[in-house]
Amino acid sequence: MRQNRGQSEPDHWLDWLGDDPAAAVRKGIEASLRAQAADAVVEWVKILETPRFLTAGRQPSENDQVMLVTRAALAAPFALSVRTRQHGRSVLLGVFSWVAVNLSPPGVRKDRHWFDLGVELDWAGEQLQGRMYEIDGEHRTAEQ
């Protein structure tokens, strides 16, 4: 995942991930692993194919030509090597998903990660929309 002024190689807007989307995804993967084992050390990560992306937004008014992005998500299939004291080295395959909601009003953004082992990208891609709406239930009506 390379970024070029807000774009990735598959030509999808990724500004919601910050200046370096690939580094942000790696940090998210590492955080997910450390939530399971505090001493987890990721030795390497490879994104196996082009991630799936989903972006949602709204127009500020009917006559406006601008779209405000309110939600964004990605599902990235990975292979990685992780090491812990208790389990030694493991090679894991799966899909890392990241959903961010409430992107339009500053200060109320919510993010959530999913770390699904042994699943296919098609399955994870199908989960993105449901996950996108499940994490912001109390703000959903304000944005629609």
Side-chain angles (χ1 to χ4, degrees):
M1 291 172 34
R2 286 185 299 176
Q3 182 180 3
N4 181 11
R5 300 195 67 209
Q7 300 290 323
S8 71
E9 197 162 42
D11 201 26
H12 194 85
W13 180 77
L14 294 176
D15 283 352
W16 63 278
L17 290 169
D19 291 336
D20 188 347
V25 168
R26 182 180 173 105
K27 283 183 180 180
I29 289 171
E30 290 172 343
S32 294
L33 288 165
R34 287 196 188 104
Q36 300 297 314
D39 68 333
V41 174
V42 177
E43 297 176 321
W44 55 265
V45 177
K46 179 174 177 145
I47 301 301
L48 300 175
E49 59 186 286
T50 302
R52 300 284 166 84
F53 303 101
L54 187 60
T55 306
R58 63 178 166 81
Q59 286 181 294
S61 70
E62 287 183 30
N63 298 328
D64 210 333
Q65 297 296 316
V66 176
M67 181 68 77
L68 296 176
V69 174
T70 57
R71 299 173 177 85
L74 71 81
F78 66 83
L80 64 82
S81 175
V82 62
R83 187 174 24 87
T84 65
R85 269 182 257 130
Q86 182 178 1
H87 298 289
R89 177 175 290 123
S90 299
V91 174
L92 304 176
L93 297 169
V95 178
F96 172 75
S97 299
W98 184 340
V99 174
V101 300
N102 302 327
L103 295 175
S104 181
V108 295
R109 176 176 169 159
K110 291 183 185 178
D111 292 68
R112 185 181 290 173
H113 300 159
W114 286 264
F115 196 78
D116 298 307
L117 295 177
V119 302
E120 298 292 324
L121 179 57
D122 286 341
W123 178 87
E126 291 170 4
Q127 304 305 305
L128 286 179
Q129 186 170 0
R131 289 173 170 180
M132 189 179 271
Y133 286 97
E134 118 188 357
I135 68 172
D136 75 327
E138 68 272 14
H139 296 286
R140 184 185 311 173
T141 55
E143 288 187 21
Q144 291 181 338

